[in-house]
Amino acid sequence: MSDPIKYVLDESRIPKNWYNIMADFPTPPAPPLHPGTGQPVGPEALEPIFPKVLIQQEMSGERWIEIPKPVREVYKQWRPSPLYRARRLERALDTPARIYYKYEGVSPSGSHKPNTAVPQAYYNAEAGIKRISTETGAGQWGSSLAFAGALFGIEIRVFMVRISFEQKPYRKALMQAFGATCVASPSEETEIGRKMRELYPGTTGSLGIAISEAMEVAAKDPGTNYSLGSVLNHVCLHQTVVGLEAIEQFELANDYPDIVIACAGGGSNFAGLAFPFLGAQLRGGKKVRVIAVEPAACPSLTKGKFAYDFGDTGQFTPLLKMFTLGSSFVPPGFHAGGLRYHAMSPLVSHAQSLGLTEAKAYHQTACFEAGVQFARTEGIMPAPEATHAIRCAIDEALRCKQEGTSQAIVFNLSGHGHFDMSAYTDYFEGKLVDVAYDAEGIRKSLDKLPHVA
Amino acid sequence: MSDPIKYVLDESRIPKNWYNIMADFPTPPAPPLHPGTGQPVGPEALEPIFPKVLIQQEMSGERWIEIPKPVREVYKQWRPSPLYRARRLERALDTPARIYYKYEGVSPSGSHKPNTAVPQAYYNAEAGIKRISTETGAGQWGSSLAFAGALFGIEIRVFMVRISFEQKPYRKALMQAFGATCVASPSEETEIGRKMRELYPGTTGSLGIAISEAMEVAAKDPGTNYSLGSVLNHVCLHQTVVGLEAIEQFELANDYPDIVIACAGGGSNFAGLAFPFLGAQLRGGKKVRVIAVEPAACPSLTKGKFAYDFGDTGQFTPLLKMFTLGSSFVPPGFHAGGLRYHAMSPLVSHAQSLGLTEAKAYHQTACFEAGVQFARTEGIMPAPEATHAIRCAIDEALRCKQEGTSQAIVFNLSGHGHFDMSAYTDYFEGKLVDVAYDAEGIRKSLDKLPHVA
């Protein structure tokens, strides 16, 4: 038929390698530092909590890293994910722009997260690990690791940011269905959790705190490893299957994007779509505008400082050079729980510092409005996180309309919103407020950034 | 790669025609009768509530009925749906059986229902209709029609069975997101609703009551049509895209089913997968075992009577020859809301009466157990309705293991359970009870079957 609206590839076209942007950056990113010595950390510092293969990937400069066959076998369940042409949205906007979206909601947990949960569980199982502790924001990551753990026989314990734990009981049920245990964070189970509950009674929690809790559990038990769903280099690496497939699908569509858009919390969803396109550009391919979209209430890229900081509130991690709001900043409770992180992945931050990417921040009501328009035209309920990318894509398409230019826009529809419908109910009932940007809180938090010589 | 686990077709392979089993039945089913005269009803009797094209399809004997191009355009959003080989479930069961499932959860509302919602909305829009009222059980149908209404500019009003309305608030939010209005049934908005609330205070509602409410609204307002999500011939017809695609996908797999399984509430999901295989058999193809699976608490095929009955509790419909528990039977409140209907589609009932199909009934805890085993191996959370098919497929696969035979089993995974997680929570917390088969209620209800000369 003419006018195709989706580009599907069969499972033989799942990428055989992940793409590592480290190989193509014009200058290397700053290394992680030990907070005590101020010296670069070696692989041995990470061995208590990560399997060796993941540490190698974290530090690798190789451009292509092979995806193990058992991981590709599991990917077959939902990969290659479809690339859609949003023809009905285009008509509704009456725009000459060509809008595409890569849909990661077809995965077992309904988001891009299993792309890295599966290899992380696999490598841990290969290393003989029986238990993993982790954190989750909106619950996407926790349910993804729960699924991966079930496949590879690993027991999963998830610390879920309290506000999401309360707003999204179905996510907890999904983790349970996949066989994992889920606890609200801050909890009574860890020292840092108890400390945060004492310092901030009634706190809604944050990814920073939940990470600290999960790391504490892993550090104290030699049989337990830790697993992170975003931020780190190896996580961004695993997500590049998204962009690599998209490049192949654009060939099918006989098109190529002018603009690449993704929401960014910890940064791995953004990296997954954007890095393969950026890499192609860095190796002499077509220049694309690449836009990271973040919530106005947690604006690490647009209002943060590019500095060394801890990845967690408990300050257990090495120091990472990132755009950050300060590791003591607790973001307000808005609905895109997956974007409530105080900082941005070092690789994404490096790309931003080099001027390779742009960043935009949106308030949540504008995002939900875009999400509903998208649902009514395209028939897919987007996750609150993904509505940030939709808002930006619609705005770019409307700009194209004003300017009379037909550009190709692709965004990552990182997940569906089936577990987030209470947020839509709040929106419909007019209960959703735009949480103000907490300038004072951020300033105070940035004042406490660690000193690095 | 060897061992494919999913068979995908591109959108050019969406069927061009629906399949009408009427053309291949060895004897025709009994006609619908007017309850007053006892004579067959003509098309004009249905014109106040249905567009003419749908009435023609309801009565057609043509084997192939063309799918309009605008409907196929919308189908492209999620069709052809994938056919999966459940290799991980097979390994977990250690069975020589080859288990396949057709996955309809990829649709906008997460079930097979949009397959008929879209053509129904399209034909109504073509006929100039601006408003449709309908009922919904678990909410799958209501959200599907809401989506289709949004695409074709039709206002949708949904009467949702009260127990599901309360158990599944997210389904209501989804309907709202697609722009529809949703009311708990029985409601105060209709005469029959008010009557049922008076007769049965605190009733959990039923599909039969909700159908009556929606029909009453359509009958009283000339600008409003009615739309049904199952039972009727044209609904079963539209669902046959499922089985037609599956037949093509089995060619890709170089296999063919020995056993075809689907859950059956009103019957359209079952018809959608089963009729194309049954039709092939009736035209001289391979004989297949075809099994309809129903809830033990609402067992129309296994405990009902094959007789003329009303399709709704308010007794507004023509009399249909069906396996029925009596139109005054109000099923108990169990979690598979889409299977809480007192009777079975006339076409499915006819096939059963001819001995072309088998029927099995299961209690819900056994089904949820199968659903969780499926989720942990295959990575998809099934809807409570679909767990009935999974239970049966697993039991057949275990029989194959006992007998040492390798049969091919296909079932319809009619939808995902993302909006049904509270049911899984009840299951995990041990709160789920097996609702007993209400023999006395069914006997009383059957005593009230209409008398047909």
Side-chain angles (χ1 to χ4, degrees):
Chain A
M1 283 189 272
S2 58
D3 296 348
I5 69 162
K6 67 179 183 302
Y7 301 92
V8 295
L9 300 169
D10 75 35
E11 59 193 39
S12 70
R13 307 284 289 280
I14 293 169
K16 297 194 169 49
N17 298 284
W18 292 299
Y19 166 66
N20 184 4
I21 198 169
M22 289 283 271
D24 291 315
F25 272 137
T27 58
L33 301 181
H34 189 282
T37 66
Q39 294 303 304
V41 294
E44 67 292 345
L46 301 172
E47 282 175 16
I49 57 168
F50 291 125
K52 281 186 183 172
V53 183
L54 287 178
I55 299 171
Q56 283 161 14
Q57 291 181 357
E58 187 65 23
M59 303 190 162
S60 171
E62 292 289 314
R63 181 174 291 123
W64 301 106
I65 294 177
E66 194 179 348
I67 306 176
K69 193 165 179 294
V71 171
R72 295 181 73 225
E73 282 297 314
V74 180
Y75 278 173
K76 284 155 84 176
Q77 182 76 26
W78 72 97
R79 307 216 67 85
S81 68
L83 178 76
Y84 279 99
R85 172 82 183 267
R87 291 189 191 272
R88 288 193 298 258
L89 178 61
E90 290 172 16
R91 277 197 293 274
L93 298 172
D94 188 26
T95 174
R98 308 185 300 288
I99 308 176
Y100 296 86
Y101 56 95
K102 180 79 170 160
Y103 184 37
E104 291 295 308
V106 294
S107 85
S109 64
S111 78
H112 62 294
K113 295 288 189 188
N115 296 331
T116 183
V118 171
Q120 289 196 48
Y122 166 75
Y123 289 125
N124 272 290
E126 287 289 289
I129 289 294
K130 299 287 180 213
R131 289 184 300 282
I132 297 179
S133 67
T134 195
E135 75 292 332
T136 199
Q140 300 271 18
W141 169 244
S143 49
S144 303
L145 195 66
F147 158 70
L151 295 188
F152 294 105
I154 295 179
E155 205 180 294
I156 306 292
R157 187 165 198 83
V158 183
F159 291 88
M160 185 171 186
V161 176
R162 184 169 293 276
I163 186 164
S164 296
F165 187 89
E166 285 161 7
Q167 284 174 345
K168 301 178 183 184
Y170 286 16
R171 274 278 166 204
K172 183 191 155 202
L174 182 61
M175 290 181 231
Q176 221 174 343
F178 287 142
T181 311
C182 177
V183 188
S185 165
S187 76
E188 290 291 330
E189 299 193 5
T190 65
E191 276 179 42
I192 178 73
R194 290 188 292 270
K195 185 177 150 196
M196 296 310 290
R197 287 165 71 106
E198 214 180 286
L199 279 175
Y200 308 101
T203 176
T204 50
S206 73
L207 272 173
I209 299 169
I211 292 172
S212 295
E213 290 207 275
M215 284 183 71
E216 186 183 317
V217 168
K220 285 184 175 166
D221 173 11
T224 299
N225 260 356
Y226 167 70
S227 178
L228 188 65
S230 189
V231 182
L232 298 180
N233 299 0
H234 67 270
V235 182
C236 294
L237 175 80
H238 299 156
Q239 290 295 352
T240 58
V241 287
V242 177
L244 293 168
E245 288 175 7
I247 287 175
E248 278 212 54
Q249 288 162 316
F250 268 102
E251 275 177 37
L252 281 185
N254 200 20
D255 205 344
Y256 198 85
D258 298 293
I259 309 174
V260 175
I261 298 169
C263 66
S268 72
N269 167 64
F270 173 78
L273 180 66
F275 282 3
F277 287 101
L278 268 184
Q281 169 185 325
L282 289 166
R283 296 192 304 278
K286 181 180 160 184
K287 186 161 166 35
V288 286
R289 276 183 69 202
V290 176
I291 309 175
V293 192
E294 58 184 14
C298 192
S300 59
L301 281 173
T302 52
K303 304 278 188 184
K305 194 169 163 184
F306 188 45
Y308 270 106
D309 194 8
F310 292 99
D312 68 320
T313 309
Q315 310 197 330
F316 293 154
T317 69
L319 295 176
L320 304 169
K321 184 87 180 277
M322 310 183 282
F323 280 91
T324 181
L325 302 167
S327 65
S328 61
F329 178 67
V330 177
F334 53 90
H335 272 291
L339 306 181
R340 293 179 72 249
Y341 185 61
H342 69 275
M344 184 55 64
S345 139
L347 289 179
V348 173
S349 295
H350 187 59
Q352 175 79 2
S353 76
L354 292 172
L356 293 168
T357 55
E358 305 170 30
K360 277 195 183 178
Y362 284 105
H363 279 294
Q364 65 180 349
T365 52
C367 295
F368 275 98
E369 184 193 16
V372 171
Q373 180 171 30
F374 183 81
R376 288 190 189 169
T377 49
E378 294 295 309
I380 299 174
M381 281 309 306
E385 292 81 5
T387 62
H388 289 71
I390 297 172
R391 175 77 271 163
C392 182
I394 289 178
D395 286 358
E396 290 295 329
L398 292 175
R399 179 190 53 73
C400 286
K401 180 180 176 179
Q402 265 191 337
E403 297 175 1
T405 54
S406 170
Q407 291 188 312
I409 301 167
V410 63
F411 68 89
N412 203 2
L413 186 63
S414 51
H416 62 62
H418 301 169
F419 297 92
D420 307 290
M421 296 309 294
S422 62
Y424 282 94
T425 299
D426 285 353
Y427 171 70
F428 291 130
E429 293 176 355
K431 288 185 194 158
L432 212 67
V433 288
D434 280 332
V435 184
Y437 155 60
D438 175 13
E440 181 61 14
I442 292 172
R443 194 190 54 72
K444 277 189 189 161
S445 169
L446 286 176
D447 278 351
K448 288 183 234 159
L449 279 184
H451 182 71
V452 178
Chain B
M1 281 191 273
S2 58
D3 296 348
I5 68 162
K6 68 180 183 302
Y7 301 92
V8 295
L9 302 169
D10 74 35
E11 59 193 39
S12 70
R13 307 284 288 280
I14 293 169
K16 297 194 170 50
N17 298 284
W18 292 300
Y19 166 66
N20 184 4
I21 198 169
M22 289 282 271
D24 291 316
F25 272 137
T27 58
L33 301 182
H34 188 282
T37 66
Q39 295 303 305
V41 293
E44 66 291 345
L46 301 172
E47 282 175 16
I49 57 167
F50 290 126
K52 282 187 181 171
V53 182
L54 287 178
I55 299 171
Q56 283 161 13
Q57 292 180 358
E58 187 65 23
M59 302 190 163
S60 171
E62 292 288 313
R63 181 174 291 122
W64 301 105
I65 293 177
E66 195 181 349
I67 306 176
K69 194 166 179 291
V71 171
R72 297 180 72 225
E73 282 298 313
V74 180
Y75 277 173
K76 284 155 84 175
Q77 182 75 25
W78 72 97
R79 305 217 68 84
S81 68
L83 178 77
Y84 279 99
R85 172 82 183 268
R87 291 190 191 272
R88 287 194 296 258
L89 177 61
E90 290 171 17
R91 277 197 294 274
L93 298 173
D94 189 24
T95 175
R98 306 184 303 287
I99 308 176
Y100 296 85
Y101 55 98
K102 179 79 170 159
Y103 184 37
E104 291 295 308
V106 293
S107 84
S109 64
S111 79
H112 63 294
K113 296 288 189 187
N115 296 331
T116 183
V118 171
Q120 289 196 48
Y122 166 75
Y123 289 125
N124 273 291
E126 287 287 290
I129 289 295
K130 299 288 180 213
R131 289 185 298 283
I132 296 179
S133 68
T134 195
E135 75 291 333
T136 199
Q140 299 272 18
W141 168 245
S143 50
S144 302
L145 196 65
F147 157 70
L151 294 188
F152 294 106
I154 295 179
E155 207 180 292
I156 306 291
R157 185 163 201 83
V158 184
F159 291 89
M160 185 170 186
V161 177
R162 184 168 293 275
I163 187 164
S164 295
F165 187 89
E166 284 160 7
Q167 282 174 346
K168 301 178 183 185
Y170 286 16
R171 273 278 167 205
K172 183 191 156 203
L174 183 61
M175 291 181 230
Q176 224 175 339
F178 286 144
T181 312
C182 177
V183 189
S185 166
S187 76
E188 290 291 329
E189 299 193 7
T190 65
E191 275 179 42
I192 178 73
R194 289 187 292 269
K195 185 178 148 197
M196 295 309 290
R197 288 165 71 105
E198 214 179 285
L199 279 174
Y200 307 101
T203 177
T204 50
S206 73
L207 271 175
I209 299 171
I211 292 173
S212 295
E213 290 208 273
M215 285 184 71
E216 186 183 317
V217 167
K220 285 186 175 166
D221 172 11
T224 301
N225 261 357
Y226 167 71
S227 178
L228 188 66
S230 189
V231 181
L232 298 179
N233 299 0
H234 67 271
V235 181
C236 294
L237 174 80
H238 299 156
Q239 291 295 352
T240 58
V241 287
V242 176
L244 293 169
E245 288 174 6
I247 288 176
E248 278 213 53
Q249 288 163 316
F250 268 102
E251 277 178 36
L252 280 186
N254 201 20
D255 206 343
Y256 197 84
D258 299 292
I259 309 175
V260 175
I261 299 169
C263 66
S268 72
N269 168 64
F270 173 77
L273 180 67
F275 282 3
F277 287 101
L278 268 183
Q281 170 185 326
L282 289 167
R283 296 194 303 280
K286 182 181 160 185
K287 185 157 166 42
V288 286
R289 275 183 68 201
V290 176
I291 309 174
V293 193
E294 58 185 14
C298 190
S300 59
L301 281 172
T302 52
K303 303 277 188 182
K305 194 169 163 185
F306 188 44
Y308 271 105
D309 194 9
F310 292 98
D312 68 321
T313 308
Q315 308 197 332
F316 294 153
T317 69
L319 296 176
L320 304 170
K321 185 88 180 276
M322 309 183 281
F323 280 92
T324 180
L325 302 167
S327 64
S328 62
F329 178 68
V330 177
F334 54 88
H335 273 291
L339 306 181
R340 292 179 73 249
Y341 184 61
H342 68 275
M344 184 55 64
S345 141
L347 289 179
V348 173
S349 294
H350 188 59
Q352 175 79 2
S353 76
L354 292 172
L356 294 169
T357 56
E358 305 171 29
K360 278 195 182 179
Y362 284 106
H363 280 294
Q364 64 181 349
T365 51
C367 295
F368 275 97
E369 185 193 16
V372 170
Q373 181 170 29
F374 183 81
R376 288 189 190 170
T377 49
E378 294 295 309
I380 298 175
M381 281 310 306
E385 292 80 5
T387 62
H388 289 71
I390 297 171
R391 175 76 272 162
C392 181
I394 288 177
D395 285 358
E396 289 295 329
L398 293 174
R399 179 192 51 77
C400 287
K401 179 180 175 178
Q402 264 192 339
E403 297 174 1
T405 53
S406 170
Q407 291 188 311
I409 300 167
V410 64
F411 69 89
N412 203 1
L413 186 63
S414 51
H416 61 62
H418 300 167
F419 296 91
D420 308 289
M421 296 309 294
S422 62
Y424 282 95
T425 300
D426 285 355
Y427 171 71
F428 292 129
E429 293 175 354
K431 289 184 194 159
L432 213 65
V433 289
D434 280 333
V435 184
Y437 154 59
D438 175 12
E440 181 61 15
I442 291 173
R443 194 190 55 71
K444 277 190 191 162
S445 170
L446 286 176
D447 278 350
K448 288 183 233 159
L449 279 184
H451 181 71
V452 177

